[in-house]
Amino acid sequence: FPSHDRVREHIVYNDGHTSETATQFEDMATFGCTSVEQAWRYGRYMLAQGKLRQELITLSVDFENLVCTRGDYVQITNDVMKVGGKPARVKSVSGSTITIDDAIDTIVGSYGYIYRNTLTGQITAFATLTVVDASTFTLNGTIPNKGDLIIIGLAGQVVYDCLVKSITPQNDLSAQIVLVEKADAIYSAESSSFFPDYSPNLTQDAT
């Protein structure tokens, strides 16, 4: 960081390392960093990114890409990647019990859901549910309408939180989108004494 028009260096150590135990160092230039504290915060942020953002996710999408820009927070579910819950359409509604158009293999655990209202496009907040059978569920939150898109999965794994890294336009309004993990712990790295272990948060298979 600059001090009286001079470039200075500040070392930020990873968790569990000190000046006596660290053996591997990486140089990183910063722009507009004017204090030791700011340099330390930036270093912690970059160390956290290196540990907690280990995947690049590339998706090909249709015109849906038009609603997002670089840096946006998005939520995905993808059975190939084994992240997020199971998407389906609401086939019928009876009180607080719904039937979906596709069966879901469930395991022991707490389940929840979110859904998108077809008429308004609004996405509801997460709520819990009770599994009746593979395609029937009793909901403990707001009730969707017939035809709405719903995602059902284990609590904490209904969707996979990401940030948009890049968008590359393709033919016919389609695009290739590259995502990185949102990893909320990155944003508290400067005020925490340790980073949590990395977890890909993969969906468990039913057995």
Side-chain angles (χ1 to χ4, degrees):
F1 58 92
S3 177
H4 302 295
D5 298 325
R6 292 184 295 117
V7 176
R8 298 180 59 188
E9 179 181 78
H10 183 69
I11 300 175
V12 181
Y13 295 100
N14 205 347
D15 293 345
H17 294 280
T18 66
S19 58
E20 297 180 351
T21 61
T23 58
Q24 182 177 349
F25 295 87
E26 297 181 11
D27 292 333
M28 180 174 296
T30 62
F31 176 78
C33 186
T34 58
S35 69
V36 171
E37 180 182 2
Q38 188 178 2
W40 185 85
R41 289 174 180 267
Y42 183 74
R44 289 287 293 178
Y45 174 78
M46 297 305 293
L47 285 170
Q49 279 201 114
K51 181 175 182 179
L52 302 177
R53 284 182 179 154
Q54 299 188 17
E55 302 289 343
L56 283 180
I57 302 163
T58 303
L59 301 176
S60 294
V61 299
D62 292 324
F63 57 84
E64 296 93 339
N65 73 87
L66 298 176
V67 302
C68 65
T69 59
R70 183 180 178 186
D72 278 357
Y73 165 43
V74 298
Q75 296 176 315
I76 66 170
T77 175
N78 191 299
D79 58 347
V80 175
M81 293 171 52
K82 293 186 176 182
V83 295
K86 172 76 173 181
R89 291 284 177 181
V90 178
K91 185 177 180 180
S92 65
V93 180
S94 177
S96 61
T97 299
I98 66 166
T99 301
I100 60 175
D101 63 355
D102 195 7
I104 296 177
D105 293 328
T106 59
I107 62 175
V108 176
S110 176
Y111 277 77
Y113 71 100
I114 63 173
Y115 72 90
R116 184 181 66 190
N117 187 297
T118 303
L119 297 177
T120 66
Q122 182 179 3
I123 299 176
T124 63
F126 170 83
T128 59
L129 58 75
T130 301
V131 178
V132 178
D133 58 41
S135 58
T136 307
F137 307 87
T138 299
L139 309 184
N140 299 321
T142 56
I143 309 301
N145 299 312
K146 180 179 178 180
D148 284 351
L149 177 65
I150 189 170
I151 300 176
I152 298 173
L154 286 168
Q157 296 182 328
V158 175
V159 290
Y160 193 66
D161 295 334
C162 298
L163 298 176
V164 177
K165 185 176 188 291
S166 67
I167 303 174
T168 304
Q170 306 287 339
N171 295 328
D172 299 322
L173 296 180
S174 64
Q176 183 181 82
I177 296 182
V178 178
L179 308 173
V180 295
E181 297 149 295
K182 185 168 179 278
D184 289 331
I186 291 174
Y187 304 106
S188 59
E190 62 185 42
S191 59
S192 62
S193 57
F194 67 93
F195 303 139
D197 292 332
Y198 173 74
S199 173
N201 205 25
L202 299 180
T203 302
Q204 301 178 52
D205 291 326
T207 56

